Amino acid sequence: MSKGGIQGDYIKDVAQIRKIIKESENFVFFTGAGISRESGIPTFRDKDGLWKKYDPSKLASRTAFISNPKLVWDFFYSRQRLVCQAECNDAHSAIERFEKTIQERSCWVITQNIDRLHQRAGSQNVIELHGNIFGVLCIECGKREQYNHDNFFNNFSEEKIPICTSCNNILKPDVVLFEEQLPPDEWRQAVQLSSECDVMFIIGSSLNVSPANTLPYHALKNQAVLIEINPNVTEMTSIMDFSLRESAPNILSKIFDLV
């Protein structure tokens, strides 16, 4: 295996990865916004990403929510509408098929995404590091409610800010905003799974958001094989065993169809 990115003809790489999969027991898929790009959901940090167009400090931070919840909710309502209209792509489906294929072995998805497309594709073992866009949380009483893409807008109107039915305070999207910590239980589980895995697929993540970007290092300490799938070079490409410059829907199908 070559470190630091393997480019060009992937036939040999795919064959090696298939052999590694057959000899391994514990798998983690660490996914970022890039895996949902082909579902029509914009990424955040690419050249055409959301944070090139919008200021996250005004639309996706805790300070922004406290000072102007309507503006933040307008932004999230538009994102929720977009996600409602999106469909799972072949990358989400390939991971779900792989999970079913190796039922007697361990397979988990640890995602930075808030779109729930992994669950809609049928993946069962999903850890959401940043929450999800169809949950709501009362920051006063702590009440949480979870909805789905097919019923969220049956319960909430884009004309109004959601209100907690228990304490009558404003609800916030149950996602991790800037200035907020990751959910501790999910983070502990993500670290444990990463520390125990034999193979980690890192798919569509820029790997520059902390602390989520430390998970590949936890896998590396366990001598796991790191397989990066990303059209772009990332800050951690140099530590990867395989770094495939392909779209996730295309390359995952090639890897898993014959596993």
Side-chain angles (χ1 to χ4, degrees):
M1 292 181 292
S2 299
K3 291 279 187 179
I6 303 171
Q7 302 193 29
D9 186 355
Y10 296 120
I11 294 176
K12 182 178 179 181
D13 305 330
V14 169
Q16 286 183 289
I17 291 169
R18 285 179 180 157
K19 183 175 185 295
I20 291 166
I21 288 172
K22 290 178 180 178
E23 297 171 350
S24 302
E25 293 291 329
N26 302 304
F27 301 89
V28 164
F29 291 85
F30 175 46
T31 67
I35 198 171
S36 297
R37 179 202 296 273
E38 294 190 39
S39 293
I41 301 175
T43 60
F44 293 92
R45 291 173 174 80
D46 285 348
K47 62 180 180 178
D48 299 321
L50 285 175
W51 300 150
K52 298 293 184 181
K53 302 176 183 179
Y54 305 106
D55 184 348
S57 68
K58 296 179 180 178
L59 295 175
S61 70
R62 188 175 182 87
T63 297
F65 181 78
I66 297 299
S67 62
N68 194 344
K70 185 179 187 307
L71 180 63
V72 174
W73 265 111
D74 285 346
F75 174 71
F76 275 94
Y77 277 143
S78 67
R79 295 281 294 166
Q80 286 155 333
R81 278 292 181 194
L82 179 65
V83 174
C84 284
Q85 296 163 5
E87 298 289 341
C88 310
N89 64 51
D90 288 345
H92 300 106
S93 299
I95 293 172
E96 185 272 339
R97 290 197 306 272
F98 179 74
E99 180 183 307
K100 284 184 177 178
T101 301
I102 61 157
Q103 287 183 355
E104 67 280 5
R105 293 182 278 174
S106 174
C107 180
W108 284 83
V109 175
I110 302 171
T111 187
Q112 297 172 283
N113 297 341
I114 59 175
D115 54 37
R116 306 221 100 189
L117 290 180
H118 284 296
Q119 290 93 329
R120 285 167 64 181
S123 289
Q124 299 296 310
N125 302 325
V126 182
I127 298 171
E128 295 172 320
L129 290 181
H130 295 156
N132 75 80
I133 203 166
F134 297 116
V136 291
L137 166 68
C138 179
I139 60 175
E140 292 297 328
C141 73
K143 181 178 180 179
R144 277 188 161 90
E145 294 180 348
Q146 181 63 56
Y147 300 89
N148 296 309
H149 71 286
D150 56 357
N151 66 8
F152 185 85
F153 285 105
N154 294 334
N155 293 275
F156 300 103
S157 167
E158 290 163 280
E159 305 301 318
K160 299 178 181 178
I161 297 174
I163 300 297
C164 179
T165 55
S166 294
C167 69
N168 209 37
N169 281 291
I170 293 174
L171 297 172
K172 73 176 280 287
D174 197 5
V175 302
V176 178
L177 301 175
F178 289 95
E179 305 167 350
E180 293 183 328
Q181 301 295 313
L182 298 188
D185 291 342
E186 284 80 355
W187 177 242
R188 280 193 292 269
Q189 189 176 10
V191 169
Q192 180 178 348
L193 290 167
S194 299
S195 301
E196 296 173 352
C197 73
D198 304 312
V199 178
M200 175 180 278
F201 288 88
I202 300 105
I203 305 173
S205 176
S206 63
L207 294 173
N208 60 11
V209 177
S210 179
N213 64 354
T214 64
L215 293 177
Y217 288 108
H218 288 286
L220 195 61
K221 289 179 182 178
N222 194 47
Q223 299 183 327
V225 175
L226 303 183
I227 304 168
E228 178 183 61
I229 299 173
N230 199 315
N232 304 311
V233 174
T234 70
E235 295 183 10
M236 296 187 188
T237 293
S238 62
I239 72 168
M240 301 296 163
D241 295 290
F242 297 91
S243 190
L244 306 180
R245 299 286 165 256
E246 281 270 6
S247 71
N250 183 37
I251 196 67
L252 286 180
S253 297
K254 290 179 180 178
I255 293 171
F256 295 149
D257 279 354
L258 298 179
V259 170

